[in-house]
């Protein structure tokens, strides 16, 4: 993928934030367009068809959530949410409404670039993979097996489904609700106890030190992220 | 009180008493008739006199006088020779008769008086005891509410009545075992507005009678008490005096409490001022320092000569980043503190794994904790409980970073999680220098900083931890460890709603 062809639209009312994002993105090969308001953001999206959008939730003229909903009706490329700390409920709402990922101020530029790249990757994925390896673990999707080193690990069907979901969405944050919905099904959206237990079990099986998880990371108050 | 009533009952049914007087004298006389041949007619007088000393125990003045006169006449008639006549033959008998009569009357009068005085003393004592009990309880009460409650209780009990109490001040206090009616409120308002200036106002209707008494202090009217005697009685003069005493005591106690409250308010204001000043100074300093670093470092970087050296550039930018982190943490603490103070902290509760929380906190502190040794003893199969992950993460973070900052490089920080039937525990231990014993509890106070610590830090972190933990109805404690160091213990309740499904 040629970065220089990718345009990122920043919709944020703070000049300083836009500036710092622009400097980083441009020095990493992206082209940057800026917008200060929700309305202008939507117009610019339609006009310029950016490859990705960084959308601030705290816009002056409209709720970022509304902008997101609007965009998602016709814009299918990556949207990353920019928000402040202690707004987990807003972040979850945005993710469940179709945002790909989020960043909290103050931003970590490394995280920003990584999440942006990840979002692109997921968006353009059309290859079919039959297996996936990370660290010393090998997952065979066709045979539904998980091997650690030379040993086959015992996985319950739920644990396996959970692992596969995480792998399929690697690098991307998944909300509790989304995971429960995908793995356990409709009606389990509020049964977070199950999720906690299974994540703990999964960590025990695939992490080197389950007390210091490096693969399945907790996004406080939001969800989980599978990172390789 | 009931004895007084009993006696009064006797006194009121006068006819009965007189009859009793007559009958008892007659009976005794008849008895004496039977035995007079043994004891002689003079001794009969003594027996009759004895009866006269006993009768005043049960009868009032009138009946006793009747008994006295009757007994004299009966003695004359039945016993003094010639018997069965009122005529007395012998002079000595006549003299005896006169003496008897005088003694009988005198005895009657005296014993009746003694009895009455005794009753008065008993009554007075009861009043004194009641007043004393009220005063004692009032002086022991240390809130407005307890003064009012004690007053009402004593009034109710002693006067056997229903009480209506209205206090007028910032909060209108109305306590009543009587149904409020419009008419009452009108009377009460008249008192408050000064339209009625008497000490008592009686409201009489067909069904009831209520006496209203204003409670005055030196400055103004504090409230109104309405008293409705049970059994539809009227308050008599005796009760009135006592009531006035009661109300005077109540007024004093109320005034005392008002003044107490005012004193407390002013103390709070002073304390508030002090906190404000501390906060202001602390924050100014805390803000200025990282800003100074940022501006200093960036102005150096603007200079081309300095920024061309990679090591210098790296070091300066690192300083800028750290200063930014510090500012970010300060802002976070200030916001957390505001949320706690506003009382509007909303908990985003969901089921969570406490070990996950600890792992998350440690991963956030990885860069700061590499110079320390971190040991984990995380319990297996701990029950899930409902809590706000972000808030408790901050609470634990603040404690751990506190331990990191106040212990030296290479020291050990241990974090344990465990549970019992009712609570989930998080322990954070360090092997630093601990705290002086008397200061141990103070570290959770807002802005408290250990005397002698280097500047930096607002003293908010631990009070935020306490606030967040307590918002979950949990507790947080700190103790000095025997071998030096501090142990923080957070306990979170496992309520009935939390089910242990870790074994499912």
């Amino acid at each position: 993928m040629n970065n220089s062809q990718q345009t990122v639209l920043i919709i944020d009312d703070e000049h300083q934030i836009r500036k710092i994002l622009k400097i980083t993105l441009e020095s990493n090969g992206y082209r940057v367009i800026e917008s200060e308001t929700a309305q202008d953001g939507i117009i610019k999206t339609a006009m310029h068809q950016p490859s990705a959008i960084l959308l601030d939730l705290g816009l002056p003229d409209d709720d970022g959530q509304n902008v997101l909903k609007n965009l998602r009706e016709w814009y299918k490329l990556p949207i990353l949410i920019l928000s402040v700390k202690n707004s987990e409920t807003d972040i979850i709402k945005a993710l469940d409404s179709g945002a790909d990922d989020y960043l909290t101020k103050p931003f970590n530029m490394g995280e920003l670039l990584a999440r942006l790249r990840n979002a692109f990757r997921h968006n353009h994925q059309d290859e079919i993979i039959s297996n996936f390896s990370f660290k010393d673990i090998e997952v065979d999707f066709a045979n539904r097996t998980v091997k650690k080193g030379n040993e086959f690990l015992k996985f319950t069907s739920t644990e396996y489904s959970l692992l596969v979901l995480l792998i399929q969405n690697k690098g991307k944050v998944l909300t509790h609700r989304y995971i429960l919905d995908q793995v356990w099904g409709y009606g389990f959206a509020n049964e977070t106890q199950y999720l906690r237990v299974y994540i703990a079990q999964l960590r025990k099986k695939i992490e080197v030190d389950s007390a210091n998880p490096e693969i399945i990371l907790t996004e406080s108050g939001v969800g989980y992220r599978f990172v390789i | 009180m009931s004895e007084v009533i009993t006696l009064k009952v006797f006194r009121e049914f006068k006819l009965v008493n007189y009859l009793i007087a007559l009958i008892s004298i007659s009976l005794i006389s008849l008895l004496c008739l039977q035995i007079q041949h043994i004891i002689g007619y003079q001794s009969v007088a003594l027996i009759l006199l004895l009866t006269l000393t006993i009768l005043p125990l049960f009868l009032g003045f009138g009946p006793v006088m009747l008994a006295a006169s009757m007994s004299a006449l009966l003695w004359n008639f039945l016993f003094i020779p010639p018997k069965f006549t009122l005529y007395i033959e012998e002079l000595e008998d006549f003299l005896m008769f006169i003496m008897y009569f005088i003694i009988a009357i005198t005895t009657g009068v005296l014993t009746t008086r003694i009895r009455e005085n005794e009753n008065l003393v008993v009554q007075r004592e009861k009043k004194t005891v009641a007043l004393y009990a009220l005063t004692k309880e009032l002086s022991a009460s240390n809130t407005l509410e307890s003064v009012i409650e004690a007053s009402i209780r004593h009034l109710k009990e002693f006067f056997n009545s229903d009480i209506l109490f209205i206090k007028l001040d910032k909060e209108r206090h109305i306590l009543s075992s009587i149904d409020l009616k419009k008419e009452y409120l009108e009377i009460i308002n008249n008192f408050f507005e000064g339209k009625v200036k008497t000490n008592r106002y009686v409201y009489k209707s067909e069904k009831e009678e209520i006496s209203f008494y204003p409670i005055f202090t030196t400055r103004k009217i504090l409230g109104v008490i309405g008293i409705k005697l049970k059994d539809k009685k009227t308050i008599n003069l005796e009760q009135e005096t006592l009531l006035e005493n009661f109300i005077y005591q109540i007024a004093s106690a109320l005034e005392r409490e008002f003044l107490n409250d005012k004193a407390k308010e002013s103390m709070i204001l002073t304390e508030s001022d002090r906190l404000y000043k501390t906060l202001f100074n602390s924050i100014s300093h805390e803000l200025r320092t990282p800003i100074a670093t940022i501006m200093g470092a960036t102005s150096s970087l603007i200079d081309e000569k300095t920024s061309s050296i990679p090591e210098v550039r790296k070091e300066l930018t690192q300083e800028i980043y750290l200063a930014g982190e510090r500012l970010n943490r300060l802002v976070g603490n200030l916001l957390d503190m505001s949320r706690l103070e506003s009382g509007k902290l909303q908990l985003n509760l969901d089921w969570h794994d406490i070990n996950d929380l600890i792992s998350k906190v440690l991963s956030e502190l990885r860069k700061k904790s590499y110079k320390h040794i971190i040991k984990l003893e995380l319990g297996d199969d701990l029950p899930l409980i409902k809590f706000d992950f972000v808030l408790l993460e901050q609470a634990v973070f603040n404690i751990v970073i506190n331990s990191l900052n106040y212990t030296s490089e290479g020291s050990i920080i241990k974090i344990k999680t465990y549970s019992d039937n009712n609570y989930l525990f998080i322990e954070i231990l360090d092997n630093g220098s601990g705290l002086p014993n008397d200061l141990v509890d103070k570290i959770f106070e807002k802005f408290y900083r250990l005397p002698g610590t280097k500047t930096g830090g607002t003293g908010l972190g631990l009070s935020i931890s306490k606030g967040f933990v307590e918002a979950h109805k949990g507790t947080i404690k700190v103790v000095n460890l025997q071998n030096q160091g501090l142990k923080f213990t957070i306990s979170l309740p496992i309520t009935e709603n939390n089910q242990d499904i870790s074994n499912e």
Side-chain angles (χ1 to χ4, degrees):
Chain A
M1 229 177 304
N2 191 347
N3 272 356
S4 62
Q5 287 178 354
Q6 291 184 304
T7 320
V8 177
L9 168 63
I10 306 172
I11 311 179
D12 192 314
D13 60 324
E14 293 271 351
H15 169 70
Q16 290 163 323
I17 301 280
R18 291 197 309 270
K19 184 147 185 197
I20 211 90
L21 288 172
K22 181 170 172 166
I23 294 172
T24 309
L25 290 169
E26 279 178 352
S27 59
N28 277 274
Y30 295 97
R31 201 180 128 229
V32 173
I33 317 174
E34 295 173 49
S35 226
E36 273 185 13
T37 65
Q39 230 193 8
D40 187 54
I42 293 175
I43 293 171
K44 287 219 167 86
T45 308
M47 257 174 43
H48 300 276
Q49 310 269 351
S51 322
I53 300 178
L54 298 181
L55 171 63
D56 177 30
L57 284 182
L59 292 169
D61 58 333
D62 196 4
D63 188 4
Q65 308 277 2
N66 291 336
V67 178
L68 177 64
K69 285 204 182 91
N70 180 324
L71 288 173
R72 270 299 176 239
E73 279 169 15
W74 48 276
Y75 179 86
K76 300 300 177 193
L77 299 174
I79 302 180
L80 272 67
I81 297 294
L82 307 176
S83 72
V84 293
K85 209 187 163 201
N86 288 318
S87 55
E88 286 76 35
T89 341
D90 294 332
I91 295 170
I92 293 176
K93 194 170 164 195
L95 290 170
D96 284 339
S97 298
D100 293 75
D101 218 314
Y102 72 103
L103 286 149
T104 41
K105 298 178 201 183
F107 304 126
N108 179 320
M109 288 306 158
E111 257 178 22
L112 165 69
L113 293 168
R115 290 180 191 182
L116 194 55
R117 272 198 302 273
N118 201 52
F120 282 131
R121 210 178 309 136
H122 280 290
N123 209 256
H124 289 93
Q125 204 155 37
D126 32 38
E127 20 170 275
I128 299 169
I129 47 168
S130 62
N131 64 11
F132 183 76
S133 304
F134 58 96
K135 302 241 168 136
D136 59 343
I137 297 178
E138 205 186 301
V139 183
D140 185 335
F141 298 127
N143 292 315
R144 293 172 67 89
T145 59
V146 183
K147 212 158 102 177
K148 183 174 175 129
N150 286 319
E151 255 186 74
F152 279 98
L153 293 178
K154 262 187 102 175
F155 268 63
T156 68
S157 128
T158 314
E159 283 170 359
Y160 180 78
S161 307
L162 180 55
L163 180 61
V164 168
L165 180 70
L166 289 172
I167 292 173
Q168 282 171 345
N169 289 283
K170 64 182 187 299
K172 183 177 157 165
V173 64
L174 298 176
T175 59
H176 304 137
R177 193 195 182 91
Y178 179 80
I179 300 174
L180 283 165
D181 208 50
Q182 295 291 308
V183 175
W184 276 270
Y186 183 72
F188 279 84
N190 289 320
E191 305 292 325
T192 37
Q193 316 92 289
Y194 294 111
L195 183 54
R196 305 297 172 218
V197 171
Y198 277 92
I199 290 285
Q201 282 167 208
L202 208 56
R203 275 174 171 156
K204 281 207 181 84
K205 291 185 179 166
I206 67 174
E207 295 275 4
V208 167
D209 177 8
S210 56
N212 276 313
E214 289 176 337
I215 306 169
I216 303 176
L217 303 181
T218 303
E219 299 279 314
S220 305
V222 173
Y224 294 99
R225 191 189 298 269
F226 187 89
V227 170
I228 289 302
Chain B
M1 199 68 185
S2 51
E3 279 181 68
V4 177
I5 294 172
T6 318
L7 278 162
K8 277 199 171 160
V9 164
F10 270 115
R11 275 201 214 141
E12 259 138 38
F13 293 87
K14 286 193 178 142
L15 194 57
V16 176
N17 285 359
Y18 287 107
L19 283 174
I20 293 174
L22 287 174
I23 291 168
S24 11
I25 294 296
S26 313
L27 279 174
I28 299 291
S29 309
L30 281 171
L31 184 67
C32 290
L33 267 177
Q34 308 304 318
I35 56 174
Q36 82 164 323
H37 60 282
I38 305 173
I39 56 173
Y41 68 90
Q42 291 98 331
S43 311
V44 171
L46 294 174
I47 294 175
L48 286 172
L49 276 177
L50 180 63
T51 318
L52 282 177
T53 53
I54 297 173
L55 282 179
L57 288 177
F58 315 104
L59 306 176
F61 185 71
V64 167
M65 288 299 104
L66 175 65
S69 329
M70 266 293 303
S71 67
L73 291 172
L74 273 175
W75 183 49
N76 180 355
F77 188 76
L78 295 174
F79 298 95
I80 302 181
K83 289 194 216 169
F84 306 108
T85 67
L86 283 174
Y87 176 68
I88 301 171
E89 213 168 57
E90 302 291 326
L91 182 63
E92 47 191 52
D93 285 341
F94 185 71
L95 284 171
M96 254 201 305
F97 174 73
I98 300 292
M99 286 320 303
Y100 175 89
F101 196 77
I102 296 172
I103 293 169
I105 299 290
T106 317
T107 313
V109 169
L110 285 175
T111 27
T112 318
R113 220 194 275 176
I114 289 171
R115 191 71 200 140
E116 274 177 10
N117 277 341
E118 215 177 74
N119 290 338
L120 271 174
V121 167
V122 166
Q123 265 187 62
R124 218 175 285 154
E125 200 198 316
K126 283 201 160 69
K127 289 182 203 171
T128 315
V129 165
L131 210 49
Y132 175 70
L134 173 71
T135 319
K136 188 168 171 205
E137 194 171 340
L138 286 181
S139 62
S141 307
N142 55 9
T143 64
L144 209 46
E145 286 73 26
S146 57
V147 165
I148 294 171
E149 186 270 326
S151 311
I152 293 181
R153 199 180 353 110
H154 280 262
L155 281 171
K156 262 185 151 159
E157 217 175 279
F158 193 75
F159 292 96
N160 193 24
S161 58
D162 286 313
I163 302 290
L164 158 66
F165 178 90
I166 295 188
K167 166 183 87 71
L168 173 70
D169 207 346
K170 284 181 227 148
E171 319 109 36
R172 202 165 243 235
H173 243 103
I174 300 183
L175 289 157
S176 181
S177 48
I178 309 172
D179 293 321
L180 281 179
K181 287 194 194 152
K182 219 174 37 172
E183 296 90 350
Y184 308 161
L185 290 176
E186 206 185 298
I187 296 168
I188 290 163
N189 274 328
N190 285 340
F191 273 120
F192 283 135
E193 287 165 22
K195 290 187 192 158
V196 174
K197 291 205 204 271
T198 58
N199 280 340
R200 165 181 157 163
Y201 186 91
V202 182
Y203 170 82
K204 262 200 187 109
S205 76
E206 265 177 27
K207 293 183 240 161
E208 61 194 355
E209 180 178 316
I210 305 184
S211 301
F212 291 95
Y213 296 85
I215 307 175
F216 283 109
T217 62
T218 49
R219 290 166 294 131
K220 56 176 183 163
I221 178 168
L222 285 181
V224 174
I225 289 184
I227 298 189
K228 178 173 159 181
L229 289 181
K230 291 189 179 165
D231 311 326
K232 298 187 194 166
K233 291 206 149 72
T234 309
I235 298 179
N236 63 37
L237 194 59
E238 219 180 308
Q239 288 173 310
E240 181 86 30
T241 329
L242 188 55
L243 202 51
E244 270 174 40
N245 272 324
F246 264 64
I247 291 186
Y248 177 76
Q249 292 300 332
I250 295 170
S252 300
L254 277 179
E255 169 120 41
R256 184 196 74 213
E257 283 312 310
F258 272 127
L259 289 174
N260 259 352
D261 283 348
K262 286 262 184 303
K264 275 187 210 153
E265 262 177 47
S266 116
M267 252 175 63
I268 289 174
L269 279 173
T270 321
E271 180 65 10
S272 201
D273 258 351
R274 184 190 76 82
L275 279 179
Y276 178 78
K277 279 207 185 88
T278 319
L279 171 62
F280 195 80
N281 291 335
S282 185
I283 292 181
S284 306
H285 183 272
E286 281 307 291
L287 283 173
R288 289 243 157 79
T289 316
I291 290 174
T293 310
I294 293 171
M295 295 189 66
T298 44
S299 56
S300 296
L301 286 172
I302 288 175
D303 171 40
E304 281 189 22
K305 213 162 117 191
T306 324
S307 61
S308 61
I309 310 168
E311 294 83 28
V312 174
R313 205 168 52 225
K314 187 165 177 190
E315 205 176 323
L316 286 175
T317 45
Q318 248 173 355
E319 284 305 310
I320 296 170
Y321 186 80
L322 287 173
E325 258 191 349
R326 200 164 141 185
L327 277 174
N328 192 37
R329 194 161 53 251
L330 172 62
V331 168
N333 277 350
L334 287 174
L335 289 174
D336 283 342
M337 206 66 219
S338 295
R339 277 161 60 192
L340 276 170
E341 295 285 292
S342 75
K344 292 198 185 125
L345 188 66
Q346 272 188 323
L347 297 183
N348 196 355
L349 296 173
D350 202 352
W351 296 104
H352 289 290
D353 177 354
I354 203 81
N355 290 340
D356 193 7
L357 181 87
I358 306 295
S359 307
K360 189 72 208 288
V361 171
L362 288 176
S363 76
E364 297 284 308
L365 285 168
R366 198 153 291 154
K367 280 190 232 148
K368 296 208 177 312
S369 58
Y370 69 93
K371 289 190 181 153
H372 283 71
I373 303 170
I374 309 279
K375 289 192 177 167
L376 291 178
E377 267 177 43
L378 303 181
D380 282 324
D381 286 335
L382 292 178
L384 295 178
I385 58 170
K386 274 191 164 181
F387 58 86
D388 182 315
F389 195 92
V390 175
L391 292 184
L392 284 189
E393 186 187 348
Q394 189 65 53
V396 175
F397 181 94
N398 288 353
I399 299 176
V400 180
I401 203 171
N402 195 72
S403 297
L404 287 172
N405 285 337
Y406 289 99
T407 58
S408 47
E409 283 179 28
S411 11
I412 303 173
I413 299 204
K414 186 153 70 160
I415 305 182
K416 283 163 83 167
T417 57
Y418 56 96
S419 69
D420 66 16
N421 280 331
N422 299 312
Y423 292 95
L424 201 66
F425 299 93
I426 305 173
E427 264 181 26
I428 300 148
L429 305 96
D430 65 51
N431 62 352
S433 48
L435 288 173
N437 274 319
D438 53 332
L439 295 179
V440 159
D441 284 317
K442 291 194 91 174
I443 56 173
F444 290 117
E445 280 174 28
K446 264 192 306 209
F447 309 120
Y448 184 81
R449 306 210 57 236
L450 202 57
T453 46
K454 54 184 197 303
T455 47
T458 47
L460 283 176
L462 291 181
S463 62
I464 290 171
S465 300
K466 182 164 189 256
F468 284 169
V469 166
E470 287 177 357
H472 286 85
K473 310 244 188 327
T475 57
I476 184 168
K477 292 192 190 75
V478 65
V479 292
N480 268 323
L481 290 172
Q482 270 178 340
N483 320 327
Q484 286 283 6
L486 281 183
K487 177 170 91 164
F488 288 88
T489 313
I490 297 175
S491 15
L492 297 162
I494 304 174
T495 66
E496 288 146 17
N497 293 331
N498 293 323
Q499 292 152 354
D500 177 358
I501 62 151
S502 55
N503 293 320
E504 275 186 33

